[in-house]
Amino acid sequence: MTIFEKIIAGDLPASFIHQDERCVSFMDIHPLNEGHVLVVPRTPAARLTGLDPETAAHLFTVARKILEAIQHTAIRCEGANIFLSDGEIAGQEVPHVHLHIVPRFRGDGVKLTFGKKPPAADREVLDRAAQTIGAHFKRRA
Ligand code: 5GP
């Protein structure tokens, strides 16, 4: 059982913002900035593809509403990073899907980095990747 399942079950405390039949949202215990919120599905899937499409989409709908709410508070929010680390290799620490909402403001010192900027890829390589992914995408559309 992950920490988030325990929070959802009420076995661990959390500062909730919102709860509905598909997801809950609460404050991150180690906020990158004031107002750092997590949106977490009730389904205990580790990966985004483990969620049904409606639940996956719902996370973003709720995130948008929370962002709008934050913008109406005194929390500094000149922009925000909204991200999801999908899998341990992508930096996911809690193996239960969650969307981060991190309010940002000039000079906050927060760094979200994917390393140095890579060189531009060859068009041929990009086209090949687009074709392969696109073919599978169409089969699922
Ligand atoms: P990840 O690295 O998996 O994308 O993010 C996990 C997030 O969960 C981290 O930002 C971390 O601070 C937060 N977190 C870990 N344990 C708890 C907890 O017990 N309560 C809350 N509210 N957040 C937690």
Side-chain angles (χ1 to χ4, degrees):
M1 208 182 196
T2 66
I3 278 176
F4 292 169
E5 277 176 273
K6 289 180 187 160
I7 288 175
I8 290 168
D11 296 336
L12 282 177
S15 303
F16 285 95
I17 292 158
H18 154 270
Q19 304 194 42
D20 63 34
E21 68 288 351
R22 287 188 192 277
C23 77
V24 306
S25 53
F26 49 83
M27 307 310 297
D28 194 297
I29 205 165
H30 297 289
L32 285 165
N33 259 342
E34 187 187 5
H36 184 167
V37 174
L38 301 173
V39 184
V40 183
R42 290 186 183 278
T43 308
R47 303 288 302 274
L48 186 61
T49 45
L51 296 179
D52 62 82
E54 291 74 24
T55 300
H58 187 64
L59 300 182
F60 219 83
T61 301
V62 170
R64 186 197 169 283
K65 275 193 191 169
I66 289 172
L67 187 56
E68 203 169 37
I70 290 171
Q71 285 168 351
H72 282 84
T73 70
I75 292 170
R76 295 185 73 182
C77 185
E78 294 162 14
N81 287 104
I82 297 170
F83 67 93
L84 187 156
S85 300
D86 190 44
E88 194 180 353
I89 190 68
Q92 185 183 22
E93 285 168 19
V94 179
H96 183 142
V97 177
H98 51 282
L99 199 52
H100 292 258
I101 304 167
V102 183
R104 298 296 308 273
F105 56 91
R106 221 162 291 282
D108 63 17
V110 173
K111 294 244 178 307
L112 300 168
T113 175
F114 294 104
K116 69 178 165 65
K117 191 174 177 181
D122 290 338
R123 178 59 54 200
E124 204 182 296
V125 173
L126 296 178
D127 283 348
R128 218 178 309 125
Q131 205 172 24
T132 309
I133 298 167
H136 284 276
F137 183 86
K138 280 185 196 113
R139 265 181 241 153
R140 280 157 183 77

mmCIF file with all atom_site columns, all heavy atoms in Angstrom, residues 35-62:
data_model
loop_
_atom_site.group_PDB
_atom_site.id
_atom_site.type_symbol
_atom_site.label_atom_id
_atom_site.label_alt_id
_atom_site.label_comp_id
_atom_site.label_asym_id
_atom_site.label_entity_id
_atom_site.label_seq_id
_atom_site.pdbx_PDB_ins_code
_atom_site.Cartn_x
_atom_site.Cartn_y
_atom_site.Cartn_z
_atom_site.occupancy
_atom_site.B_iso_or_equiv
_atom_site.pdbx_formal_charge
_atom_site.auth_seq_id
_atom_site.auth_comp_id
_atom_site.auth_asym_id
_atom_site.auth_atom_id
_atom_site.pdbx_PDB_model_num
ATOM 1   N N   . GLY A 1 35 ? 1.850   26.538 -1.877  1.00 0.00 ? 35 GLY A N   1
ATOM 2   C CA  . GLY A 1 35 ? 0.736   26.216 -2.775  1.00 0.00 ? 35 GLY A CA  1
ATOM 3   C C   . GLY A 1 35 ? 0.971   24.982 -3.624  1.00 0.00 ? 35 GLY A C   1
ATOM 4   O O   . GLY A 1 35 ? 0.181   24.693 -4.528  1.00 0.00 ? 35 GLY A O   1
ATOM 5   N N   . HIS A 1 36 ? 2.030   24.226 -3.325  1.00 0.00 ? 36 HIS A N   1
ATOM 6   C CA  . HIS A 1 36 ? 2.322   22.992 -4.081  1.00 0.00 ? 36 HIS A CA  1
ATOM 7   C C   . HIS A 1 36 ? 1.254   21.939 -3.738  1.00 0.00 ? 36 HIS A C   1
ATOM 8   O O   . HIS A 1 36 ? 1.134   21.498 -2.603  1.00 0.00 ? 36 HIS A O   1
ATOM 9   C CB  . HIS A 1 36 ? 3.724   22.500 -3.695  1.00 0.00 ? 36 HIS A CB  1
ATOM 10  C CG  . HIS A 1 36 ? 4.199   21.297 -4.442  1.00 0.00 ? 36 HIS A CG  1
ATOM 11  N ND1 . HIS A 1 36 ? 5.507   20.884 -4.407  1.00 0.00 ? 36 HIS A ND1 1
ATOM 12  C CD2 . HIS A 1 36 ? 3.569   20.392 -5.233  1.00 0.00 ? 36 HIS A CD2 1
ATOM 13  C CE1 . HIS A 1 36 ? 5.654   19.799 -5.153  1.00 0.00 ? 36 HIS A CE1 1
ATOM 14  N NE2 . HIS A 1 36 ? 4.480   19.479 -5.654  1.00 0.00 ? 36 HIS A NE2 1
ATOM 15  N N   . VAL A 1 37 ? 0.487   21.562 -4.748  1.00 0.00 ? 37 VAL A N   1
ATOM 16  C CA  . VAL A 1 37 ? -0.652  20.648 -4.564  1.00 0.00 ? 37 VAL A CA  1
ATOM 17  C C   . VAL A 1 37 ? -0.439  19.375 -5.381  1.00 0.00 ? 37 VAL A C   1
ATOM 18  O O   . VAL A 1 37 ? 0.154   19.416 -6.467  1.00 0.00 ? 37 VAL A O   1
ATOM 19  C CB  . VAL A 1 37 ? -1.959  21.346 -5.019  1.00 0.00 ? 37 VAL A CB  1
ATOM 20  C CG1 . VAL A 1 37 ? -3.147  20.392 -4.990  1.00 0.00 ? 37 VAL A CG1 1
ATOM 21  C CG2 . VAL A 1 37 ? -2.251  22.570 -4.160  1.00 0.00 ? 37 VAL A CG2 1
ATOM 22  N N   . LEU A 1 38 ? -0.935  18.253 -4.850  1.00 0.00 ? 38 LEU A N   1
ATOM 23  C CA  . LEU A 1 38 ? -0.925  16.993 -5.591  1.00 0.00 ? 38 LEU A CA  1
ATOM 24  C C   . LEU A 1 38 ? -2.362  16.592 -5.901  1.00 0.00 ? 38 LEU A C   1
ATOM 25  O O   . LEU A 1 38 ? -3.245  16.692 -5.036  1.00 0.00 ? 38 LEU A O   1
ATOM 26  C CB  . LEU A 1 38 ? -0.275  15.889 -4.760  1.00 0.00 ? 38 LEU A CB  1
ATOM 27  C CG  . LEU A 1 38 ? 1.176   16.138 -4.318  1.00 0.00 ? 38 LEU A CG  1
ATOM 28  C CD1 . LEU A 1 38 ? 1.629   15.035 -3.354  1.00 0.00 ? 38 LEU A CD1 1
ATOM 29  C CD2 . LEU A 1 38 ? 2.107   16.218 -5.515  1.00 0.00 ? 38 LEU A CD2 1
ATOM 30  N N   . VAL A 1 39 ? -2.592  16.157 -7.127  1.00 0.00 ? 39 VAL A N   1
ATOM 31  C CA  . VAL A 1 39 ? -3.905  15.627 -7.520  1.00 0.00 ? 39 VAL A CA  1
ATOM 32  C C   . VAL A 1 39 ? -3.702  14.141 -7.753  1.00 0.00 ? 39 VAL A C   1
ATOM 33  O O   . VAL A 1 39 ? -2.876  13.737 -8.582  1.00 0.00 ? 39 VAL A O   1
ATOM 34  C CB  . VAL A 1 39 ? -4.442  16.316 -8.791  1.00 0.00 ? 39 VAL A CB  1
ATOM 35  C CG1 . VAL A 1 39 ? -5.848  15.820 -9.108  1.00 0.00 ? 39 VAL A CG1 1
ATOM 36  C CG2 . VAL A 1 39 ? -4.435  17.834 -8.633  1.00 0.00 ? 39 VAL A CG2 1
ATOM 37  N N   . VAL A 1 40 ? -4.436  13.324 -6.988  1.00 0.00 ? 40 VAL A N   1
ATOM 38  C CA  . VAL A 1 40 ? -4.158  11.890 -6.925  1.00 0.00 ? 40 VAL A CA  1
ATOM 39  C C   . VAL A 1 40 ? -5.423  11.079 -7.212  1.00 0.00 ? 40 VAL A C   1
ATOM 40  O O   . VAL A 1 40 ? -6.449  11.281 -6.540  1.00 0.00 ? 40 VAL A O   1
ATOM 41  C CB  . VAL A 1 40 ? -3.637  11.532 -5.502  1.00 0.00 ? 40 VAL A CB  1
ATOM 42  C CG1 . VAL A 1 40 ? -3.259  10.071 -5.400  1.00 0.00 ? 40 VAL A CG1 1
ATOM 43  C CG2 . VAL A 1 40 ? -2.454  12.422 -5.108  1.00 0.00 ? 40 VAL A CG2 1
ATOM 44  N N   . PRO A 1 41 ? -5.380  10.176 -8.187  1.00 0.00 ? 41 PRO A N   1
ATOM 45  C CA  . PRO A 1 41 ? -6.569  9.354  -8.452  1.00 0.00 ? 41 PRO A CA  1
ATOM 46  C C   . PRO A 1 41 ? -6.811  8.358  -7.309  1.00 0.00 ? 41 PRO A C   1
ATOM 47  O O   . PRO A 1 41 ? -5.858  7.936  -6.647  1.00 0.00 ? 41 PRO A O   1
ATOM 48  C CB  . PRO A 1 41 ? -6.197  8.607  -9.739  1.00 0.00 ? 41 PRO A CB  1
ATOM 49  C CG  . PRO A 1 41 ? -4.712  8.535  -9.721  1.00 0.00 ? 41 PRO A CG  1
ATOM 50  C CD  . PRO A 1 41 ? -4.246  9.799  -9.035  1.00 0.00 ? 41 PRO A CD  1
ATOM 51  N N   . ARG A 1 42 ? -8.054  7.990  -7.117  1.00 0.00 ? 42 ARG A N   1
ATOM 52  C CA  . ARG A 1 42 ? -8.343  6.960  -6.108  1.00 0.00 ? 42 ARG A CA  1
ATOM 53  C C   . ARG A 1 42 ? -7.811  5.603  -6.559  1.00 0.00 ? 42 ARG A C   1
ATOM 54  O O   . ARG A 1 42 ? -7.440  4.777  -5.739  1.00 0.00 ? 42 ARG A O   1
ATOM 55  C CB  . ARG A 1 42 ? -9.854  6.880  -5.858  1.00 0.00 ? 42 ARG A CB  1
ATOM 56  C CG  . ARG A 1 42 ? -10.396 8.101  -5.133  1.00 0.00 ? 42 ARG A CG  1
ATOM 57  C CD  . ARG A 1 42 ? -11.862 7.920  -4.762  1.00 0.00 ? 42 ARG A CD  1
ATOM 58  N NE  . ARG A 1 42 ? -12.391 9.128  -4.129  1.00 0.00 ? 42 ARG A NE  1
ATOM 59  C CZ  . ARG A 1 42 ? -12.233 9.426  -2.836  1.00 0.00 ? 42 ARG A CZ  1
ATOM 60  N NH1 . ARG A 1 42 ? -11.598 8.593  -2.033  1.00 0.00 ? 42 ARG A NH1 1
ATOM 61  N NH2 . ARG A 1 42 ? -12.740 10.547 -2.348  1.00 0.00 ? 42 ARG A NH2 1
ATOM 62  N N   . THR A 1 43 ? -7.788  5.390  -7.871  1.00 0.00 ? 43 THR A N   1
ATOM 63  C CA  . THR A 1 43 ? -7.246  4.125  -8.402  1.00 0.00 ? 43 THR A CA  1
ATOM 64  C C   . THR A 1 43 ? -5.752  4.074  -8.098  1.00 0.00 ? 43 THR A C   1
ATOM 65  O O   . THR A 1 43 ? -5.012  4.980  -8.489  1.00 0.00 ? 43 THR A O   1
ATOM 66  C CB  . THR A 1 43 ? -7.426  4.076  -9.944  1.00 0.00 ? 43 THR A CB  1
ATOM 67  O OG1 . THR A 1 43 ? -8.787  4.351  -10.246 1.00 0.00 ? 43 THR A OG1 1
ATOM 68  C CG2 . THR A 1 43 ? -7.020  2.722  -10.507 1.00 0.00 ? 43 THR A CG2 1
ATOM 69  N N   . PRO A 1 44 ? -5.290  3.009  -7.446  1.00 0.00 ? 44 PRO A N   1
ATOM 70  C CA  . PRO A 1 44 ? -3.882  2.972  -7.037  1.00 0.00 ? 44 PRO A CA  1
ATOM 71  C C   . PRO A 1 44 ? -2.933  2.494  -8.131  1.00 0.00 ? 44 PRO A C   1
ATOM 72  O O   . PRO A 1 44 ? -2.105  1.602  -7.918  1.00 0.00 ? 44 PRO A O   1
ATOM 73  C CB  . PRO A 1 44 ? -3.899  2.005  -5.844  1.00 0.00 ? 44 PRO A CB  1
ATOM 74  C CG  . PRO A 1 44 ? -5.012  1.073  -6.146  1.00 0.00 ? 44 PRO A CG  1
ATOM 75  C CD  . PRO A 1 44 ? -6.046  1.862  -6.921  1.00 0.00 ? 44 PRO A CD  1
ATOM 76  N N   . ALA A 1 45 ? -3.041  3.099  -9.324  1.00 0.00 ? 45 ALA A N   1
ATOM 77  C CA  . ALA A 1 45 ? -2.153  2.706  -10.424 1.00 0.00 ? 45 ALA A CA  1
ATOM 78  C C   . ALA A 1 45 ? -0.831  3.452  -10.279 1.00 0.00 ? 45 ALA A C   1
ATOM 79  O O   . ALA A 1 45 ? -0.812  4.617  -9.865  1.00 0.00 ? 45 ALA A O   1
ATOM 80  C CB  . ALA A 1 45 ? -2.803  3.060  -11.757 1.00 0.00 ? 45 ALA A CB  1
ATOM 81  N N   . ALA A 1 46 ? 0.250   2.778  -10.613 1.00 0.00 ? 46 ALA A N   1
ATOM 82  C CA  . ALA A 1 46 ? 1.568   3.423  -10.545 1.00 0.00 ? 46 ALA A CA  1
ATOM 83  C C   . ALA A 1 46 ? 1.791   4.315  -11.768 1.00 0.00 ? 46 ALA A C   1
ATOM 84  O O   . ALA A 1 46 ? 2.406   5.375  -11.670 1.00 0.00 ? 46 ALA A O   1
ATOM 85  C CB  . ALA A 1 46 ? 2.667   2.369  -10.440 1.00 0.00 ? 46 ALA A CB  1
ATOM 86  N N   . ARG A 1 47 ? 1.284   3.851  -12.926 1.00 0.00 ? 47 ARG A N   1
ATOM 87  C CA  . ARG A 1 47 ? 1.572   4.541  -14.186 1.00 0.00 ? 47 ARG A CA  1
ATOM 88  C C   . ARG A 1 47 ? 0.299   5.154  -14.771 1.00 0.00 ? 47 ARG A C   1
ATOM 89  O O   . ARG A 1 47 ? -0.808  4.630  -14.565 1.00 0.00 ? 47 ARG A O   1
ATOM 90  C CB  . ARG A 1 47 ? 2.173   3.548  -15.194 1.00 0.00 ? 47 ARG A CB  1
ATOM 91  C CG  . ARG A 1 47 ? 3.449   2.837  -14.710 1.00 0.00 ? 47 ARG A CG  1
ATOM 92  C CD  . ARG A 1 47 ? 4.635   3.783  -14.689 1.00 0.00 ? 47 ARG A CD  1
ATOM 93  N NE  . ARG A 1 47 ? 4.903   4.354  -15.969 1.00 0.00 ? 47 ARG A NE  1
ATOM 94  C CZ  . ARG A 1 47 ? 5.664   3.781  -16.918 1.00 0.00 ? 47 ARG A CZ  1
ATOM 95  N NH1 . ARG A 1 47 ? 6.247   2.632  -16.675 1.00 0.00 ? 47 ARG A NH1 1
ATOM 96  N NH2 . ARG A 1 47 ? 5.850   4.372  -18.078 1.00 0.00 ? 47 ARG A NH2 1
ATOM 97  N N   . LEU A 1 48 ? 0.494   6.220  -15.523 1.00 0.00 ? 48 LEU A N   1
ATOM 98  C CA  . LEU A 1 48 ? -0.654  6.924  -16.129 1.00 0.00 ? 48 LEU A CA  1
ATOM 99  C C   . LEU A 1 48 ? -1.490  5.993  -16.997 1.00 0.00 ? 48 LEU A C   1
ATOM 100 O O   . LEU A 1 48 ? -2.719  6.055  -17.009 1.00 0.00 ? 48 LEU A O   1
ATOM 101 C CB  . LEU A 1 48 ? -0.141  8.118  -16.946 1.00 0.00 ? 48 LEU A CB  1
ATOM 102 C CG  . LEU A 1 48 ? -1.192  9.049  -17.530 1.00 0.00 ? 48 LEU A CG  1
ATOM 103 C CD1 . LEU A 1 48 ? -2.039  9.695  -16.434 1.00 0.00 ? 48 LEU A CD1 1
ATOM 104 C CD2 . LEU A 1 48 ? -0.547  10.125 -18.393 1.00 0.00 ? 48 LEU A CD2 1
ATOM 105 N N   . THR A 1 49 ? -0.824  5.099  -17.723 1.00 0.00 ? 49 THR A N   1
ATOM 106 C CA  . THR A 1 49 ? -1.555  4.181  -18.602 1.00 0.00 ? 49 THR A CA  1
ATOM 107 C C   . THR A 1 49 ? -2.323  3.113  -17.802 1.00 0.00 ? 49 THR A C   1
ATOM 108 O O   . THR A 1 49 ? -3.083  2.345  -18.389 1.00 0.00 ? 49 THR A O   1
ATOM 109 C CB  . THR A 1 49 ? -0.595  3.502  -19.598 1.00 0.00 ? 49 THR A CB  1
ATOM 110 O OG1 . THR A 1 49 ? 0.568   3.062  -18.883 1.00 0.00 ? 49 THR A OG1 1
ATOM 111 C CG2 . THR A 1 49 ? -0.181  4.452  -20.706 1.00 0.00 ? 49 THR A CG2 1
ATOM 112 N N   . GLY A 1 50 ? -2.119  3.081  -16.502 1.00 0.00 ? 50 GLY A N   1
ATOM 113 C CA  . GLY A 1 50 ? -2.883  2.165  -15.653 1.00 0.00 ? 50 GLY A CA  1
ATOM 114 C C   . GLY A 1 50 ? -4.241  2.749  -15.263 1.00 0.00 ? 50 GLY A C   1
ATOM 115 O O   . GLY A 1 50 ? -5.044  2.075  -14.616 1.00 0.00 ? 50 GLY A O   1
ATOM 116 N N   . LEU A 1 51 ? -4.473  4.008  -15.644 1.00 0.00 ? 51 LEU A N   1
ATOM 117 C CA  . LEU A 1 51 ? -5.765  4.647  -15.340 1.00 0.00 ? 51 LEU A CA  1
ATOM 118 C C   . LEU A 1 51 ? -6.680  4.575  -16.546 1.00 0.00 ? 51 LEU A C   1
ATOM 119 O O   . LEU A 1 51 ? -6.198  4.610  -17.687 1.00 0.00 ? 51 LEU A O   1
ATOM 120 C CB  . LEU A 1 51 ? -5.556  6.136  -15.021 1.00 0.00 ? 51 LEU A CB  1
ATOM 121 C CG  . LEU A 1 51 ? -4.740  6.493  -13.782 1.00 0.00 ? 51 LEU A CG  1
ATOM 122 C CD1 . LEU A 1 51 ? -4.635  8.008  -13.676 1.00 0.00 ? 51 LEU A CD1 1
ATOM 123 C CD2 . LEU A 1 51 ? -5.351  5.893  -12.526 1.00 0.00 ? 51 LEU A CD2 1
ATOM 124 N N   . ASP A 1 52 ? -7.991  4.532  -16.312 1.00 0.00 ? 52 ASP A N   1
ATOM 125 C CA  . ASP A 1 52 ? -8.903  4.636  -17.453 1.00 0.00 ? 52 ASP A CA  1
ATOM 126 C C   . ASP A 1 52 ? -8.807  6.073  -17.984 1.00 0.00 ? 52 ASP A C   1
ATOM 127 O O   . ASP A 1 52 ? -8.464  7.008  -17.229 1.00 0.00 ? 52 ASP A O   1
ATOM 128 C CB  . ASP A 1 52 ? -10.334 4.259  -17.049 1.00 0.00 ? 52 ASP A CB  1
ATOM 129 C CG  . ASP A 1 52 ? -10.884 5.188  -16.001 1.00 0.00 ? 52 ASP A CG  1
ATOM 130 O OD1 . ASP A 1 52 ? -11.363 6.275  -16.367 1.00 0.00 ? 52 ASP A OD1 1
ATOM 131 O OD2 . ASP A 1 52 ? -10.790 4.851  -14.799 1.00 0.00 ? 52 ASP A OD2 1
ATOM 132 N N   . PRO A 1 53 ? -9.086  6.277  -19.279 1.00 0.00 ? 53 PRO A N   1
ATOM 133 C CA  . PRO A 1 53 ? -8.901  7.611  -19.881 1.00 0.00 ? 53 PRO A CA  1
ATOM 134 C C   . PRO A 1 53 ? -9.688  8.715  -19.186 1.00 0.00 ? 53 PRO A C   1
ATOM 135 O O   . PRO A 1 53 ? -9.206  9.840  -19.076 1.00 0.00 ? 53 PRO A O   1
ATOM 136 C CB  . PRO A 1 53 ? -9.390  7.414  -21.326 1.00 0.00 ? 53 PRO A CB  1
ATOM 137 C CG  . PRO A 1 53 ? -9.341  5.961  -21.581 1.00 0.00 ? 53 PRO A CG  1
ATOM 138 C CD  . PRO A 1 53 ? -9.523  5.274  -20.255 1.00 0.00 ? 53 PRO A CD  1
ATOM 139 N N   . GLU A 1 54 ? -10.890 8.394  -18.703 1.00 0.00 ? 54 GLU A N   1
ATOM 140 C CA  . GLU A 1 54 ? -11.716 9.430  -18.066 1.00 0.00 ? 54 GLU A CA  1
ATOM 141 C C   . GLU A 1 54 ? -11.051 9.919  -16.771 1.00 0.00 ? 54 GLU A C   1
ATOM 142 O O   . GLU A 1 54 ? -11.030 11.115 -16.485 1.00 0.00 ? 54 GLU A O   1
ATOM 143 C CB  . GLU A 1 54 ? -13.123 8.896  -17.748 1.00 0.00 ? 54 GLU A CB  1
ATOM 144 C CG  . GLU A 1 54 ? -13.986 8.620  -18.971 1.00 0.00 ? 54 GLU A CG  1
ATOM 145 C CD  . GLU A 1 54 ? -13.573 7.354  -19.725 1.00 0.00 ? 54 GLU A CD  1
ATOM 146 O OE1 . GLU A 1 54 ? -12.955 6.461  -19.096 1.00 0.00 ? 54 GLU A OE1 1
ATOM 147 O OE2 . GLU A 1 54 ? -13.849 7.269  -20.931 1.00 0.00 ? 54 GLU A OE2 1
ATOM 148 N N   . THR A 1 55 ? -10.514 8.981  -16.003 1.00 0.00 ? 55 THR A N   1
ATOM 149 C CA  . THR A 1 55 ? -9.860  9.369  -14.750 1.00 0.00 ? 55 THR A CA  1
ATOM 150 C C   . THR A 1 55 ? -8.601  10.171 -15.054 1.00 0.00 ? 55 THR A C   1
ATOM 151 O O   . THR A 1 55 ? -8.323  11.188 -14.404 1.00 0.00 ? 55 THR A O   1
ATOM 152 C CB  . THR A 1 55 ? -9.531  8.114  -13.910 1.00 0.00 ? 55 THR A CB  1
ATOM 153 O OG1 . THR A 1 55 ? -10.754 7.443  -13.624 1.00 0.00 ? 55 THR A OG1 1
ATOM 154 C CG2 . THR A 1 55 ? -8.840  8.473  -12.612 1.00 0.00 ? 55 THR A CG2 1
ATOM 155 N N   . ALA A 1 56 ? -7.837  9.717  -16.043 1.00 0.00 ? 56 ALA A N   1
ATOM 156 C CA  . ALA A 1 56 ? -6.615  10.436 -16.406 1.00 0.00 ? 56 ALA A CA  1
ATOM 157 C C   . ALA A 1 56 ? -6.955  11.879 -16.809 1.00 0.00 ? 56 ALA A C   1
ATOM 158 O O   . ALA A 1 56 ? -6.304  12.829 -16.360 1.00 0.00 ? 56 ALA A O   1
ATOM 159 C CB  . ALA A 1 56 ? -5.895  9.702  -17.545 1.00 0.00 ? 56 ALA A CB  1
ATOM 160 N N   . ALA A 1 57 ? -7.983  12.037 -17.612 1.00 0.00 ? 57 ALA A N   1
ATOM 161 C CA  . ALA A 1 57 ? -8.384  13.378 -18.058 1.00 0.00 ? 57 ALA A CA  1
ATOM 162 C C   . ALA A 1 57 ? -8.894  14.213 -16.883 1.00 0.00 ? 57 ALA A C   1
ATOM 163 O O   . ALA A 1 57 ? -8.637  15.418 -16.800 1.00 0.00 ? 57 ALA A O   1
ATOM 164 C CB  . ALA A 1 57 ? -9.462  13.259 -19.132 1.00 0.00 ? 57 ALA A CB  1
ATOM 165 N N   . HIS A 1 58 ? -9.594  13.550 -15.975 1.00 0.00 ? 58 HIS A N   1
ATOM 166 C CA  . HIS A 1 58 ? -10.173 14.248 -14.820 1.00 0.00 ? 58 HIS A CA  1
ATOM 167 C C   . HIS A 1 58 ? -9.086  14.901 -13.955 1.00 0.00 ? 58 HIS A C   1
ATOM 168 O O   . HIS A 1 58 ? -9.297  15.986 -13.395 1.00 0.00 ? 58 HIS A O   1
ATOM 169 C CB  . HIS A 1 58 ? -10.998 13.254 -14.001 1.00 0.00 ? 58 HIS A CB  1
ATOM 170 C CG  . HIS A 1 58 ? -11.769 13.868 -12.891 1.00 0.00 ? 58 HIS A CG  1
ATOM 171 N ND1 . HIS A 1 58 ? -12.785 14.768 -13.090 1.00 0.00 ? 58 HIS A ND1 1
ATOM 172 C CD2 . HIS A 1 58 ? -11.640 13.747 -11.543 1.00 0.00 ? 58 HIS A CD2 1
ATOM 173 C CE1 . HIS A 1 58 ? -13.261 15.160 -11.925 1.00 0.00 ? 58 HIS A CE1 1
ATOM 174 N NE2 . HIS A 1 58 ? -12.576 14.560 -10.973 1.00 0.00 ? 58 HIS A NE2 1
ATOM 175 N N   . LEU A 1 59 ? -7.933  14.259 -13.867 1.00 0.00 ? 59 LEU A N   1
ATOM 176 C CA  . LEU A 1 59 ? -6.844  14.822 -13.055 1.00 0.00 ? 59 LEU A CA  1
ATOM 177 C C   . LEU A 1 59 ? -6.505  16.228 -13.564 1.00 0.00 ? 59 LEU A C   1
ATOM 178 O O   . LEU A 1 59 ? -6.263  17.149 -12.790 1.00 0.00 ? 59 LEU A O   1
ATOM 179 C CB  . LEU A 1 59 ? -5.588  13.943 -13.128 1.00 0.00 ? 59 LEU A CB  1
ATOM 180 C CG  . LEU A 1 59 ? -5.701  12.498 -12.638 1.00 0.00 ? 59 LEU A CG  1
ATOM 181 C CD1 . LEU A 1 59 ? -4.342  11.809 -12.736 1.00 0.00 ? 59 LEU A CD1 1
ATOM 182 C CD2 . LEU A 1 59 ? -6.227  12.451 -11.205 1.00 0.00 ? 59 LEU A CD2 1
ATOM 183 N N   . PHE A 1 60 ? -6.495  16.368 -14.867 1.00 0.00 ? 60 PHE A N   1
ATOM 184 C CA  . PHE A 1 60 ? -6.136  17.654 -15.455 1.00 0.00 ? 60 PHE A CA  1
ATOM 185 C C   . PHE A 1 60 ? -7.258  18.679 -15.273 1.00 0.00 ? 60 PHE A C   1
ATOM 186 O O   . PHE A 1 60 ? -6.998  19.863 -15.049 1.00 0.00 ? 60 PHE A O   1
ATOM 187 C CB  . PHE A 1 60 ? -5.781  17.484 -16.936 1.00 0.00 ? 60 PHE A CB  1
ATOM 188 C CG  . PHE A 1 60 ? -4.630  18.344 -17.338 1.00 0.00 ? 60 PHE A CG  1
ATOM 189 C CD1 . PHE A 1 60 ? -3.330  17.925 -17.116 1.00 0.00 ? 60 PHE A CD1 1
ATOM 190 C CD2 . PHE A 1 60 ? -4.839  19.589 -17.897 1.00 0.00 ? 60 PHE A CD2 1
ATOM 191 C CE1 . PHE A 1 60 ? -2.256  18.732 -17.448 1.00 0.00 ? 60 PHE A CE1 1
ATOM 192 C CE2 . PHE A 1 60 ? -3.778  20.408 -18.241 1.00 0.00 ? 60 PHE A CE2 1
ATOM 193 C CZ  . PHE A 1 60 ? -2.480  19.975 -18.013 1.00 0.00 ? 60 PHE A CZ  1
ATOM 194 N N   . THR A 1 61 ? -8.491  18.207 -15.354 1.00 0.00 ? 61 THR A N   1
ATOM 195 C CA  . THR A 1 61 ? -9.636  19.104 -15.128 1.00 0.00 ? 61 THR A CA  1
ATOM 196 C C   . THR A 1 61 ? -9.571  19.683 -13.715 1.00 0.00 ? 61 THR A C   1
ATOM 197 O O   . THR A 1 61 ? -9.745  20.889 -13.505 1.00 0.00 ? 61 THR A O   1
ATOM 198 C CB  . THR A 1 61 ? -10.955 18.325 -15.317 1.00 0.00 ? 61 THR A CB  1
ATOM 199 O OG1 . THR A 1 61 ? -10.971 17.814 -16.650 1.00 0.00 ? 61 THR A OG1 1
ATOM 200 C CG2 . THR A 1 61 ? -12.167 19.190 -15.085 1.00 0.00 ? 61 THR A CG2 1
ATOM 201 N N   . VAL A 1 62 ? -9.284  18.789 -12.748 1.00 0.00 ? 62 VAL A N   1
ATOM 202 C CA  . VAL A 1 62 ? -9.208  19.237 -11.351 1.00 0.00 ? 62 VAL A CA  1
ATOM 203 C C   . VAL A 1 62 ? -7.991  20.151 -11.169 1.00 0.00 ? 62 VAL A C   1
ATOM 204 O O   . VAL A 1 62 ? -8.066  21.186 -10.498 1.00 0.00 ? 62 VAL A O   1
ATOM 205 C CB  . VAL A 1 62 ? -9.161  18.019 -10.391 1.00 0.00 ? 62 VAL A CB  1
ATOM 206 C CG1 . VAL A 1 62 ? -8.832  18.442 -8.976  1.00 0.00 ? 62 VAL A CG1 1
ATOM 207 C CG2 . VAL A 1 62 ? -10.484 17.271 -10.433 1.00 0.00 ? 62 VAL A CG2 1
#
